[in-house]
Amino acid sequence: MVRSLLIVTAVGAGLIGGVMFAFSTFIMPALSRLEPRQGIAAMQAINRAAPNVFFMTALFGTAVTSIALAVATVVRHDASASYAVVACVLYLTGIVLTVVYHVPRNNALDAVDPGGNDAADVWGNYVPGWTAWNHVRTVSALSASAVLVWAATGT
């Protein structure tokens, strides 16, 4: 069971890390080059589409499996316990950032009129911070995946 949890959680963390990597490396840079009204409208559309069963299952399902893995390895005194706990903390760092930083900013952006007078200022403030903290989510998820792969291979 622990090995299966290791593999499922590693794949989930890698998948979510890939999504975050895409946002950090080309989605947000591309959106930032658009006119503010276009960038805001595009990000609003993305944020409205994101909470779907597939993405939410991958994002939060991996959080659940990482916690289950950490508990299972500690309870069983498994050799991979320290790796599982580190990976759990790494992955959950990204989840906490999502809940306390990204979601509130996305919700605030959703209330913005893309054609409004303050759209350029809102967009100019939104993109740099959102992207910088997304880099942290990217690194945390990909690092969690790497640690779990390392643990699964017994290295």
Side-chain angles (χ1 to χ4, degrees):
M1 177 176 119
V2 170
R3 185 157 171 80
S4 296
L5 276 172
L6 274 168
I7 292 167
V8 167
T9 306
V11 170
L15 175 64
I16 294 303
V19 170
M20 302 305 169
F21 179 80
F23 269 89
S24 283
T25 60
F26 62 87
I27 295 171
M28 293 308 287
L31 294 179
S32 72
R33 290 198 259 313
L34 297 173
E35 293 294 322
R37 65 181 172 73
Q38 295 172 316
I40 291 169
M43 192 66 179
Q44 287 172 334
I46 290 168
N47 289 335
R48 290 174 188 148
N52 64 66
V53 68
F54 302 109
F55 182 66
M56 292 294 115
T57 299
L59 182 69
F60 292 111
T62 301
V64 170
T65 62
S66 70
I67 293 167
L69 174 63
V71 169
T73 57
V74 168
V75 167
R76 290 182 47 177
H77 305 290
D78 193 273
S80 61
S82 59
Y83 298 117
V85 171
V86 167
C88 178
V89 169
L90 285 167
Y91 187 77
L92 291 177
T93 297
I95 295 299
V96 169
L97 276 171
T98 298
V99 172
V100 303
Y101 182 84
H102 288 89
V103 169
R105 274 141 192 87
N106 292 345
N107 290 342
L109 186 70
D110 193 53
V112 172
D113 175 7
N117 291 335
D118 63 341
D121 288 338
V122 168
W123 188 239
N125 290 324
Y126 176 88
V127 172
W130 194 100
T131 305
W133 284 107
N134 191 67
H135 295 335
V136 175
R137 294 193 301 175
T138 302
V139 170
S140 70
L142 292 177
S143 296
S145 181
V147 169
L148 291 167
V149 167
W150 190 23
T153 59
T155 310

